[in-house]
Amino acid sequence: QVQVAESGGGLVQAGGSLTLSCAHSGQTFNSYGMGWFRRPPGKERTVVARINTSGRNTFYADSVKGRFTISRDNAKNTVYLQMNSLKPEDTAVYFCAFLDSNWQPYNYWGQGTQVTVSS
């Protein structure tokens, strides 16, 4: 089973910043692309950002381009999401996931971490 643990969420004012972390305790981290996803209150989960195994290729949802940065440290089995200029519409539970060869998430999800942005 692929297990991840998200952390770093919290309450922040609009315009503020947060950095989310996603750690994996196994030995297969380097072999997979990783993604961050979010589920706003009452809405479906959608992709926020993706990163390939080396970290050289990334993808961002239009809504976060220029504000969020995904990165990974393969030595630490950790992927990060740096979030700047946060907006109230960024309020959501954020999840990370391993990605398959089509950059789609495997259906293994952690607890997520809550991000709340106040106006």
Side-chain angles (χ1 to χ4, degrees):
Q1 186 174 359
V2 177
Q3 294 183 330
V4 295
E6 302 94 343
S7 62
L11 173 64
V12 64
Q13 289 188 330
S17 298
L18 282 174
T19 299
L20 306 183
S21 299
C22 170
H24 171 56
S25 59
Q27 298 181 356
T28 58
F29 182 82
N30 295 3
S31 301
Y32 293 92
M34 297 294 297
W36 282 99
F37 300 77
R38 67 185 181 187
R39 185 175 62 213
K43 297 184 179 180
E44 297 294 319
R45 182 160 45 200
T46 59
V47 65
V48 175
R50 302 184 185 113
I51 190 166
N52 74 335
T53 54
S54 69
R56 293 192 183 96
N57 292 330
T58 57
F59 162 87
Y60 295 94
D62 287 344
S63 58
V64 306
K65 278 181 183 176
R67 300 188 297 122
F68 290 11
T69 302
I70 188 171
S71 62
R72 64 189 296 162
D73 185 337
N74 287 339
K76 296 182 178 180
N77 282 9
T78 302
V79 62
Y80 304 97
L81 186 67
Q82 172 69 43
M83 306 186 295
N84 298 326
S85 302
L86 283 162
K87 304 175 181 180
E89 51 264 42
D90 295 317
T91 294
V93 180
Y94 284 72
F95 303 86
C96 68
F98 284 76
L99 304 178
D100 64 22
S101 59
N102 293 316
W103 276 41
Q104 296 303 307
Y106 287 101
N107 195 27
Y108 296 110
W109 300 97
Q111 297 279 350
T113 185
Q114 175 71 48
V115 172
T116 303
V117 184
S118 62
S119 57

